[in-house]
Amino acid sequence: MALTGIQIFKLLPKTNCKECGVPTCLAFAMNLASGKAGLDQCPYVSEEARNQLAEASAPPIRPVKIGAGVRAFTTGGETVLYRHEKTFYNPTAFAALVPASIPAAALAKKLKEFNALQFERVGLNLRPQMIAVKDTGDKAAFVQVAKTVSETSEFNCILITDNAENMAAAVDACGKKRPLMYAATAANADAMGNIAKEKDAALVVKADSVEALIPLVDKLTGMGIKDLVLDPGSREIKKAMEDQVFIRRAALKQGNRSLGYPTLACPCEMADNLDVETMLAALFVAKYAGIVVLSDFRGDTLFPLLLERLNIFTDPQRPMTVTQGIYDINSPDENSPVLVTSNFALTYFIVSGEIEASKMPAWLLVKDTEGLSVLTAWAAGKFNGDDVGAFIKKSGIMDKVKGKEVIIPGFAASIVGDMEEELPGWTVTVGPREAAHIPAFLKSR
Ligand code: SF4
């Protein structure tokens, strides 16, 4: 269990020197206990006290690094129950199940298809991270599929088997790609724990209930294994959701260190079709799975999950933005119209989506408004005529088009005069107020 503020205070130097940024050692102790301060902020903690305080200053849910390469990720490390309290840090990772009995050609085809499932949004590449390779009883096949996934794709592996010998061989086959072992149970905890320790692999702990997880976790941490992921074993929807919430709450609110690890959920074992699995996965992204295992990846089901994940794991106190600049849509040329808008991500998505849907080639200039929408930015003085005009001058668009006309959002109609002063010789045209009217507007020109 985590130490209380008073217990931490007893271990501090009690000089009230203020170097940690707060007036007293007691205040620092309270901040440390609530996770608002880090132990390194006090330069005077003795080594002995530091060791004792390490537990108190550790994050309530351990961040666990999985895999290697471009699809490596960290799961866990969360500090709040609700994202509006602060933010969620480490996005849920998605895995697709592949049986070890899959023929080599089918595996190669699947990996190619899965690899193509990447989507660009707000300057980010949205993609799944893992393949869950399931042992079907043939050790050689299990090892070969793990090796193929690790060596020929960017994906990292979850290795699913209760056979310790097969697991050890498959972990080796993954080479430097640190796989996630699934799973240590009451029946094989010693053997799986030894493999995880020897090979420095992360390990899922699986039990039939949250209560049964605790002694298993304690046993494995007692063996010196730190990187654990929890599967409470529940596969009925209501119970599975309750367990996810219980584990998160116990770690954050009760300081239960045995449950202070990321979790794994298995929609692939809770439904008999991918559509229902996807709906369950959506629940687990929101509350609170670190890793979700699906039976397959399909573009139409994966894409909404990736978008949901993007939204859940962004800081709610900071508007999402896109980079200021020139965006070409539908292959514009020197005669194509030029539109300007703000860099609030939602505004950009809607405006660019409507232009795209119109099939009309156009240049879209996105001005940095610190993530405010057009109307809000205008009201806040961040989308005024002088600034927008100056941005257009500097943007480089003048080298790309012959004409001298820019279309501004209808909500910013009042900036026309100032823009025309800033851009002599240019025509400033007021476009529609609503993005939905952009296609008709462009086609009518
Ligand atoms: Fe106390 Fe350390 Fe903070 Fe100084 S820096 S006030 S000793 S906790």
Side-chain angles (χ1 to χ4, degrees):
M1 293 287 287
L3 298 179
T4 65
I6 297 298
Q7 287 169 322
I8 294 170
F9 174 64
K10 287 179 184 165
L11 296 167
L12 294 176
K14 303 185 199 66
T15 59
N16 298 335
C17 71
K18 303 185 180 62
E19 284 188 41
C20 55
V22 291
T24 62
C25 293
L26 181 60
F28 179 72
M30 293 302 171
N31 283 349
L32 199 58
S34 62
K36 291 180 192 150
L39 195 50
D40 291 341
Q41 288 170 250
C42 172
Y44 304 112
V45 184
S46 68
E47 204 49 45
E48 189 188 339
R50 189 172 290 277
N51 291 337
Q52 289 183 55
L53 288 168
E55 187 194 10
S57 59
I61 297 175
R62 181 177 172 80
V64 176
K65 287 186 180 160
I66 310 243
V70 293
R71 301 203 194 214
F73 64 95
T74 297
T75 181
E78 305 301 341
T79 57
V80 291
L81 271 178
Y82 306 106
R83 68 188 281 276
H84 64 260
E85 293 176 272
K86 198 171 184 185
T87 184
F88 291 168
Y89 292 103
N90 291 308
T92 308
F94 296 113
L97 208 57
V98 170
S101 55
I102 188 170
L107 177 61
K109 182 168 177 277
K110 228 176 217 314
L111 290 176
K112 195 174 171 197
E113 288 168 359
F114 287 172
N115 187 55
L117 295 171
Q118 303 190 43
F119 307 90
E120 295 293 331
R121 281 292 180 280
V122 234
L124 299 172
N125 181 287
L126 310 184
R127 58 193 170 194
Q129 294 94 330
M130 303 195 91
I131 304 289
V133 184
K134 188 170 186 178
D135 189 7
T136 47
D138 179 343
K139 179 181 170 187
F142 184 49
V143 169
Q144 184 55 51
V145 173
K147 188 176 167 67
T148 303
V149 171
S150 298
E151 289 183 355
T152 67
S153 80
E154 294 173 349
F155 290 98
N156 291 291
C157 281
I158 302 178
L159 302 172
I160 304 178
T161 182
D162 52 13
N163 182 314
E165 191 188 323
N166 292 4
M167 180 67 86
V171 172
D172 285 342
C174 291
K176 289 187 179 155
K177 279 196 169 174
R178 191 173 188 241
L180 176 62
M181 298 167 52
Y182 185 101
T185 62
N188 66 10
D190 285 315
M192 290 295 183
N194 284 330
I195 296 167
K197 192 172 176 189
E198 186 196 326
K199 302 183 186 301
D200 188 30
L203 176 63
V204 179
V205 189
K206 187 188 176 197
D208 293 334
S209 64
V210 174
E211 294 73 23
L213 270 179
I214 293 172
L216 263 181
V217 169
D218 292 346
K219 179 185 176 109
L220 290 160
T221 51
M223 291 169 69
I225 300 156
K226 292 180 177 159
D227 286 343
L228 299 175
V229 175
L230 309 182
D231 177 0
S234 33
R235 298 293 185 261
E236 186 272 322
I237 299 172
K238 183 164 179 283
K239 182 67 181 144
M241 289 305 298
E242 283 173 358
D243 284 351
Q244 291 288 336
V245 174
F246 184 90
I247 290 171
R248 172 69 63 97
R249 189 171 276 281
L252 295 186
K253 298 296 177 191
Q254 279 96 47
N256 187 327
R257 292 289 188 200
S258 302
L259 296 176
Y261 296 92
T263 58
L264 177 143
C266 294
C268 59
E269 294 180 5
M270 297 171 66
D272 57 10
N273 69 76
L274 192 57
D275 293 335
V276 177
E277 279 182 42
T278 302
M279 286 189 276
L280 296 174
L283 291 174
F284 288 124
V285 170
K287 285 185 186 297
Y288 286 112
I291 298 169
V292 167
V293 186
L294 297 153
S295 62
D296 200 2
F297 289 148
R298 218 174 58 205
D300 63 316
T301 52
L302 182 65
F303 179 63
L305 287 176
L306 293 169
L307 273 194
E308 182 206 9
R309 180 178 78 178
L310 175 68
N311 283 309
I312 299 267
F313 285 85
T314 51
D315 186 343
Q317 291 166 38
R318 277 215 232 140
M320 285 180 68
T321 59
V322 292
T323 309
Q324 173 171 289
I326 304 172
Y327 291 77
D328 55 301
I329 302 175
N330 298 332
S331 308
D333 61 21
E334 58 190 15
N335 298 311
S336 301
V338 177
L339 297 91
V340 64
T341 191
S342 79
N343 79 329
F344 178 39
L346 191 58
T347 301
Y348 168 78
F349 278 139
I350 294 172
V351 171
S352 62
E354 292 293 346
I355 298 173
E356 220 173 299
S358 77
K359 305 216 181 322
M360 302 288 289
W363 300 98
L364 180 60
L365 303 186
V366 173
K367 182 188 178 303
D368 183 2
T369 54
E370 297 173 20
L372 299 177
S373 64
V374 170
L375 191 55
T376 316
W378 169 77
K382 296 181 192 302
F383 201 85
N384 58 47
D386 296 343
D387 282 352
V388 177
F391 159 63
I392 289 171
K393 269 188 202 164
K394 283 189 199 155
S395 68
I397 191 65
M398 291 172 180
D399 299 330
K400 293 179 182 291
V401 293
K402 272 189 192 163
K404 289 188 171 183
E405 183 193 14
V406 59
I407 300 160
I408 64 169
F411 279 118
S414 63
I415 70 173
V416 171
D418 287 343
M419 275 188 73
E420 284 177 343
E421 269 182 36
E422 187 67 31
L423 296 169
W426 276 63
T427 303
V428 180
T429 303
V430 178
R433 285 186 159 211
E434 303 298 335
H437 299 153
I438 289 176
F441 175 83
L442 289 177
K443 284 173 187 164
S444 68
R445 289 162 49 83

